[in-house]
Amino acid sequence: DWSSDVFSSDLASIEITCQLGSWSDVSTTTDAFDPGLNSPVRLQVELKESVKALHDARWTKFEYSVTLNPGSQNSVTTRRYKRVRLLPPDHFLFARMDSVNKQLVDFSWLISAWVNSQEPRLGLVRQRALDFFPRLGVQTESAEDPRLFAGQKVEAIYRALQGENIQYFDNAVVFHSGEFQYMQRVQSCATTIETAKGNCLDNSVLFASLLSLCGIDPGILLMPGHALAAWRAPSAAGNRSEERRVG
């Protein structure tokens, strides 16, 4: 909210700091920007280890400041804060009720944060899938029939995952709602492999992570009371794609 007279040149220098209550240290970044453009500035906030011990949601303050021309005599600083609710690491907020507009805001896309192709435990499953389909590492688009080739990859991954003997375990208490928000506890793919049990969403996250590891574009379909893993299958002609799902 600065007037144009504070800008002395075509480019302005800006410093941004932020802190998530006692749950993070102060993070700072500086950047130069054109006052006439709406440009994003990225700032990564590193959370403390104490966040991992959270079992219930906690209210805290997200404090931030923006300084124009830091270090100069005409520097200007604006400080703000917002009251936010910090969720435990394994909680997925899939919707929130906007109490002002009386609308349900969809956050289901956040489930992508659980899809982790870098999990080391997935390597053994992938190796088992290679035994079923040795061409698993070949790029799908290079195949004569990409859609058929992708389906063969998915089948091999599915058969390999069956070797983990993961049992379906649907704990009804994982579904719950807070004040104007709806959450579900979701396991990491590492936890699902370690415990050899999980519900439909846990298993969908695991399968989607394996698909991503093997070069297949994954998806997760959410519906009332159920979740499915999905994958993008290129057409035989290679000029379009379609969604397919694995129950």
Side-chain angles (χ1 to χ4, degrees):
D1 299 329
W2 294 312
S3 59
S4 59
D5 57 357
V6 301
F7 299 110
S8 57
S9 63
D10 293 337
L11 287 180
S13 176
I14 194 172
E15 179 184 81
I16 301 176
T17 67
C18 67
Q19 183 176 15
L20 187 61
S22 61
W23 303 99
S24 78
D25 294 322
V26 177
S27 299
T28 304
T29 188
T30 57
D31 201 357
F33 72 102
D34 184 340
L37 298 177
N38 186 8
S39 304
V41 177
R42 299 187 181 276
L43 175 60
Q44 183 171 339
V45 178
E46 296 288 343
L47 298 178
K48 296 180 179 179
E49 286 293 313
S50 55
V51 172
K52 296 181 180 179
L54 271 178
H55 296 288
D56 299 298
R58 299 284 184 89
W59 286 105
T60 186
K61 286 199 302 184
F62 180 74
E63 303 173 88
Y64 60 95
S65 68
V66 180
T67 301
L68 181 66
N69 300 321
S72 67
Q73 293 183 347
N74 62 338
S75 65
V76 182
T77 300
T78 299
R79 291 183 174 86
R80 298 282 191 274
Y81 78 87
K82 290 183 178 293
R83 190 166 179 259
V84 297
R85 201 174 191 191
L86 185 63
L87 302 180
D90 57 351
H91 279 56
F92 164 45
L93 176 68
F94 56 88
R96 186 178 188 277
M97 178 61 71
D98 184 338
S99 58
V100 176
N101 297 315
K102 305 299 182 182
Q103 293 179 338
L104 196 64
V105 183
D106 179 21
F107 290 110
S108 59
W109 54 271
L110 288 173
I111 192 60
S112 61
W114 274 263
V115 178
N116 179 17
S117 62
Q118 303 303 312
E119 168 53 48
R121 292 167 181 80
L122 300 181
L124 292 177
V125 183
R126 183 183 183 278
Q127 186 59 46
R128 194 181 302 123
L130 276 167
D131 296 335
F132 293 120
F133 189 61
R135 299 183 65 200
L136 185 69
V138 177
Q139 190 174 8
T140 303
E141 290 73 14
S142 65
E144 183 177 348
D145 188 340
R147 182 166 63 178
L148 175 62
F149 193 67
Q152 292 172 325
K153 283 186 173 185
V154 174
E155 181 181 2
I157 295 168
Y158 183 77
R159 292 178 63 188
L161 191 55
Q162 286 181 312
E164 295 295 321
N165 296 316
I166 297 173
Q167 302 298 309
Y168 186 83
F169 178 71
D170 191 9
N171 187 349
V173 301
V174 300
F175 287 92
H176 62 281
S177 62
E179 184 182 5
F180 302 118
Q181 52 193 356
Y182 304 89
M183 296 175 286
Q184 180 175 343
R185 183 169 296 157
V186 183
Q187 295 179 165
S188 66
C189 52
T191 299
T192 302
I193 291 178
E194 288 173 0
T195 61
K197 62 182 181 181
N199 60 28
C200 57
L201 188 50
D202 301 326
N203 290 320
S204 294
V205 164
L206 173 57
F207 198 80
S209 299
L210 279 165
L211 291 175
S212 179
L213 174 64
C214 297
I216 298 174
D217 191 11
I220 296 178
L221 307 180
L222 300 175
M223 58 194 72
H226 195 42
L228 296 170
W231 51 285
R232 188 179 299 277
S235 68
N239 57 6
R240 68 178 183 86
S241 61
E242 63 181 31
E243 295 291 340
R244 296 199 166 189
R245 64 187 184 184
V246 180

